Each structure stands twice: as structure tokens, then as C-alpha cells.
Amino acid sequence: MSETENDHREVLPLTGVTVVSCEQAVAAPFATRQLADLGARVIKVERPGVGDFARSYDETVRGMSSHFVWLNRSKESLALDLKHPEARAVMDALLADADVFVQNFAPGAAARLGLDAERLRTRDPRLITCSISGYGTSGPYRDAKAYDLLIQSETGLVSVTGTEDTPAKSGIPAADIGAGMYAFSGILAALYEREVTGAGTALEVSLFDSLVEWMGYPLYYADYGGTPPPRRGTSHAAIAPYGTYAAGDGTEFVLSIQNEREWAAFCAVVLDDAAVATDPRFDTGSKRVEHREALDEVIGARLAGLSGETFGARLEEARIANARRRELSEVLEHPQLGARDRWRTVGSPVGDLRATLPAITVEGREPRMDPIPDVGEHSGSILAELGYADEEVARLREDGLL
């Protein structure tokens, strides 16, 4: 690491915090990568050989998994067989200097390995533990498998996503991301509390609870409205017009009308017909939702004679919130990312890769963008820090611990 990189790391908010994580897949690695972005040292404990099974989800990034590349920069990899008789001694030594321990084992596995919160926090009351599970540590679903799509289905996300005819999963792992972000924010809160009280705490986050929280508006809508919000593709169940509309040349814009002022301006400027605003079918928000099909027919007829350039110019003139519906290839070259210098290069076992900066910007400080580790890349150096001699490390490798 260069002197400049070291200086940047020294002033990041979580510099000096050590996180040990027995993690795999998405939720826990996403949480710990956010901590690493902010300067924490994250030691990722993986299975010897294959490592985190997210490493083999696909091979699209020059032979590496797109998921793994996204979730694991700036970490150190320790390959350790946690079922080996000598693994507990290594983990105890590792955790003796840790501030945070994160795990997303299957239910009951942490206790069998001696890594449950009760045991660890009895040894070190300042330790913050975070357990990420599918459905929580109690209840009839406690032991159920909990992949992202399964949680999206159980929480109703699939039921409100897609078109009127076809429900669909979210295109991103929403349950995993939600749980990862709640784990990240919970750990930050626990670190702050420890500064005040001197004591750590045990945190629990489940994918199910996280996504149920994100389903708040549809749940209230269904509970008090009597029916679930209908699936509307890119449209909104409770607001109209809201969604994707095309000009005569096929250029698509996604737009949103949030109030009556915007509605009047949309009709007068974009549709060039102020009378539409006072049509008795459309003169309130609830009526526009009720008569959505007729409304879309009127809008479509007015837009059919416009070019995409004119459509976009009128939306801007009327100050209507809008966006281009971009394909991923366009997002990669998005002018906003380029103008704000949001791309960096990170190292990896397959060479340099480009990556977007963390969403949290710390004023005046360059974020940490260290390499993505190979399986067990740091095993030797980590054990050396714990006091293991070279000969002992070699023996442990021969015995299959590493």
C-alpha cells in the first residue's frame, strides 16, 4: 500500500475497527463490505479450497463471479475449516482482538462451532455480534432454507412486482440487500453505543424481517384498503400518470405526476391541451387512478405526434420529474457517473476491475477501494499476527485446517 493510500485509510470513520466475519452468499458480505468501505479491517473466514460459495455463482467477470466481485473488495481472506479440532483456538485468538463478529451460518451451526453470541460475549463483553438468518431464531420457519427468491415470495414482494398478468421477482436480491443494510446500520449503532456504555451487544437480523419492513406501504394498502395494490409494471398502483410513456418515434421516458400543479402543467405544456386537466374523469388523483386506462389512451394519443426530443423538452419545460428507461449498457456509461468521477479501479486475482464508489461519501476523504481477495490469500499473514510460527502454519496446512 502506498503512503497516500495509508493516509486515506487512517482518516476514514471506521479505521481501527476489526471485523471478523464467517460469511457467505450476499447478505453478510454486503454488510461487511460497507464496513470495509469506511475503513474497517474485515477478515473474511472461508472454507478452504472453494471458499464462499458465491465465488462460483457465475464466471462473467474474467472468470470470477459478478456477485463476489461486487461484495468482497477491501477484505482479507482466511481459509479455515471451522469443523477442524484446532479451529476454535484460531477463532478465539482472532476474536480476542476483534470489535465485531458477523455470521450467517445455518440455524444452530454457530452454537455447534462454539461461535454463538452467548459464548463469545461471555468471553468478551465488548464484542459486538451480528447474526444474519433467513427467518430469525424462533418461530415455525426458523430452520427453513431462505434464499432471496424464497423470501421475496414469502413476504409478498413477488405478488406486487411485475405486470397485471405475470408476477415477477425483483431483478436484484432485495431480501439479501435489505438484511445486509440493516446489519450494517445495526453494527454502526452498536459501535456508537459501545463508545457510550463500554459494552458490546448481540444483534439479530433476518432476511424475512428486513423485507417485511420494506413491504410497509403495500401491507398498509392491503390491510386498510381491503385489496392489495395491483401490479402495474413500471406504473404506480396509487398514482397516475406514473410510469413509462413513449413518444411517436418510440423514445421512452418514465415520468411521475405528484400533485395537481404538476398535473395541470403536464396537460398544458406536454400534452398541449389544458382541458385534459379538468376532464371530470381526471381532475383528482384518485379519479386518475380509477380511470387509468382511459387516461393512458388520452396521453398516448397526444404523444404519438411528438418526437422523443420534443417530448423530453416539454417535460423539462413543465418541470415534470422524468427519467430515461436505460438498459444496463447505458447505465455503465451514464453521464452522471462520469461527471461525478464515480468509477475507480480495484485489484483482484484476475487483474484490475472497475467498480463504482461506495454510496456514502465522506467529505475530503478518498474511499477505500482495496483488492478483492483470493481464497485464503491472507491465511499465513493473519496466523503470523496471532503468533503462529511458519512451521506451525505449514503443519496446519498439512492437517487440512487451512
Side-chain angles (χ1 to χ4, degrees), residues 103-126:
Q103 58 89 3
N104 63 339
F105 293 123
R112 291 193 296 272
L113 295 168
L115 294 171
D116 53 291
E118 182 178 4
R119 174 180 178 267
L120 296 180
R121 296 200 61 256
T122 297
R123 292 177 61 250
D124 180 6
R126 284 182 54 82

Side-chain angles (χ1 to χ4, degrees), residues 245-248 266 271 293-306:
Y245 294 87
F266 177 76
L271 303 185
E293 289 185 10
L295 174 64
D296 285 347
E297 287 181 8
V298 170
I299 294 173
R302 299 298 193 282
L303 296 179
L306 302 182

Side-chain angles (χ1 to χ4, degrees), residues 194-243:
R194 192 179 70 174
E195 289 299 302
V196 176
T197 67
T201 192
L203 304 170
E204 289 187 8
V205 176
S206 81
L207 276 68
F208 182 78
D209 292 343
S210 299
L211 203 53
V212 165
E213 166 65 20
W214 283 17
M215 290 294 293
Y217 130 68
L219 289 174
Y220 280 108
Y221 188 108
D223 194 10
Y224 291 95
T227 59
R231 293 187 299 273
R232 295 290 185 184
T234 60
S235 297
H236 195 289
I239 302 173
Y242 189 127

Side-chain angles (χ1 to χ4, degrees), residues 3-349:
E3 240 178 78
T4 303
E5 288 173 328
N6 193 51
D7 289 342
H8 286 150
R9 177 178 296 183
E10 287 175 356
V11 296
L12 287 171
L14 296 183
T15 295
V17 172
T18 297
V19 180
V20 174
S21 186
C22 293
E23 60 180 33
Q24 58 190 359
V26 176
F30 190 56
T32 58
R33 202 216 73 194
Q34 315 303 310
L35 298 169
D37 288 342
L38 292 175
R41 181 187 187 189
V42 175
I43 299 173
K44 179 184 181 78
V45 180
E46 303 186 72
R47 299 175 183 85
V50 296
D52 178 346
F53 58 70
R55 286 182 179 271
S56 59
Y57 277 174
D58 60 65
E59 298 177 349
T60 59
V61 185
R62 299 181 191 163
M64 293 187 70
S65 158
S66 54
H67 283 76
F68 194 85
V69 167
W70 164 43
L71 298 167
N72 290 285
R73 66 173 179 245
S74 303
K75 299 180 184 179
E76 299 170 50
S77 174
L78 168 63
L80 190 68
D81 179 0
L82 292 172
K83 296 179 180 179
H84 191 282
E86 296 189 63
R88 181 173 295 190
V90 174
M91 288 300 296
D92 283 349
L94 195 60
L95 290 167
D97 292 323
D99 300 283
V100 180
F101 175 62
V102 178
Q103 58 89 3
N104 63 339
F105 293 123
R112 291 193 296 272
L113 295 168
L115 294 171
D116 53 291
E118 182 178 4
R119 174 180 178 267
L120 296 180
R121 296 200 61 256
T122 297
R123 292 177 61 250
D124 180 6
R126 284 182 54 82
L127 183 67
I128 294 163
T129 63
C130 181
S131 170
I132 302 175
S133 64
Y135 290 95
T137 56
S138 61
Y141 282 70
R142 174 185 180 274
D143 296 322
K145 290 187 179 296
Y147 303 131
D148 183 82
L149 173 57
L150 308 184
I151 299 295
Q152 288 194 35
S153 300
E154 286 286 352
T155 59
L157 177 58
V158 170
S159 77
V160 298
T161 306
T163 65
E164 186 175 352
D165 297 327
T166 308
K169 69 181 286 293
S170 165
I172 59 174
D176 284 314
I177 293 172
M181 290 308 294
Y182 283 121
F184 168 56
S185 57
I187 290 167
L188 294 181
L191 286 167
Y192 175 80
E193 181 184 47
R194 192 179 70 174
E195 289 299 302
V196 176
T197 67
T201 192
L203 304 170
E204 289 187 8
V205 176
S206 81
L207 276 68
F208 182 78
D209 292 343
S210 299
L211 203 53
V212 165
E213 166 65 20
W214 283 17
M215 290 294 293
Y217 130 68
L219 289 174
Y220 280 108
Y221 188 108
D223 194 10
Y224 291 95
T227 59
R231 293 187 299 273
R232 295 290 185 184
T234 60
S235 297
H236 195 289
I239 302 173
Y242 189 127
T244 304
Y245 294 87
D249 63 4
T251 303
E252 292 183 335
F253 283 87
V254 180
L255 61 91
S256 172
I257 303 297
Q258 296 284 320
N259 54 54
E260 296 309 306
R261 180 197 63 77
E262 291 180 349
W263 169 238
F266 177 76
C267 294
V269 178
V270 181
L271 303 185
D272 194 25
D273 189 350
V276 175
T278 56
D279 185 311
R281 297 172 297 173
F282 313 138
D283 58 1
T284 68
S286 59
K287 288 182 181 179
R288 292 193 290 276
V289 172
E290 181 183 356
H291 301 286
R292 185 193 303 270
E293 289 185 10
L295 174 64
D296 285 347
E297 287 181 8
V298 170
I299 294 173
R302 299 298 193 282
L303 296 179
L306 302 182
S307 66
E309 184 178 358
T310 301
F311 185 16
R314 288 187 181 184
L315 287 169
E316 293 302 313
E317 181 184 349
R319 299 175 63 193
I320 302 301
N322 68 88
R324 293 295 304 273
R325 191 189 64 75
R326 297 179 185 270
E327 299 297 329
L328 292 180
S329 58
E330 298 175 288
V331 177
L332 289 168
E333 306 304 325
H334 201 294
Q336 186 72 356
L337 292 174
R340 298 185 63 233
D341 192 26
R342 297 295 296 172
W343 290 102
R344 292 291 184 276
T345 298
V346 297
S348 82

Side-chain angles (χ1 to χ4, degrees), residues 343-362:
W343 290 102
R344 292 291 184 276
T345 298
V346 297
S348 82
V350 296
D352 287 346
L353 303 170
R354 72 170 177 166
T356 54
L357 288 173
I360 298 173
T361 299
V362 182

